[in-house]
Amino acid sequence: QVQLVESGGGTVQVGESLRLSCVASEGTFRMNGMGWFRQAPGKEREFVAAINWSSSSTLYADSVKGRFTISRDNAKKTVYLQMNILKFDDTGVYYCARKLGLSSSNSVLDYNVWGQGTQVTVSS
């Protein structure tokens, strides 16, 4: 059974950058869309970014457009989230997820495998 392992989280100051990585341990990867979601304390999990199987299509939440970039390397079974100009509101646990099918999606219901999450904290 495929497992997703995120890394790259940490504590940074406002305006700084972080790069998250998510590696699939086994199973299919290149034939699946992938996504990043986040959850802040006391809030529901929300969509951040998604990418289709071939990297030809990406989706972003309005709150991160122009600051975050999702990418993938199918040979390494890895998806990345480059986060620039971080804000306080970007604080939360970031989850990587594998989608059913090739396309990208902003709906949590379309994803069937989730990582354990990595904490991102943005401070002053």
Side-chain angles (χ1 to χ4, degrees):
Q1 182 177 352
V2 64
Q3 289 185 326
L4 302 175
V5 180
E6 303 98 333
S7 62
T11 299
V12 296
Q13 295 187 329
V14 170
E16 293 185 337
S17 299
L18 275 176
R19 188 194 196 200
L20 305 183
S21 299
C22 170
V23 180
S25 61
E26 58 184 77
T28 61
F29 178 82
R30 64 172 297 176
M31 301 305 288
N32 295 88
M34 297 294 295
W36 286 96
F37 293 77
R38 67 187 180 189
Q39 189 165 18
K43 295 187 177 181
E44 292 187 353
R45 192 168 299 189
E46 66 174 2
F47 169 75
V48 175
I51 189 167
N52 73 336
W53 71 283
S54 65
S55 302
S56 63
S57 175
T58 56
L59 295 172
Y60 294 95
D62 288 344
S63 59
V64 307
K65 280 181 182 177
R67 300 188 297 122
F68 290 13
T69 302
I70 188 171
S71 61
R72 65 189 295 164
D73 184 334
N74 286 342
K76 296 182 178 180
K77 293 189 174 182
T78 303
V79 61
Y80 305 97
L81 186 67
Q82 177 66 44
M83 305 186 294
N84 298 329
I85 317 175
L86 283 161
K87 305 177 180 180
F88 288 122
D89 289 347
D90 294 321
T91 294
V93 178
Y94 282 69
Y95 297 91
C96 168
R98 190 191 74 170
K99 182 185 170 293
L100 294 165
L102 301 172
S103 63
S104 55
S105 170
N106 62 3
S107 173
V108 67
L109 298 177
D110 289 334
Y111 293 82
N112 67 332
V113 180
W114 294 81
Q116 83 290 345
T118 185
Q119 177 70 45
V120 172
T121 302
V122 184
S123 63
S124 60

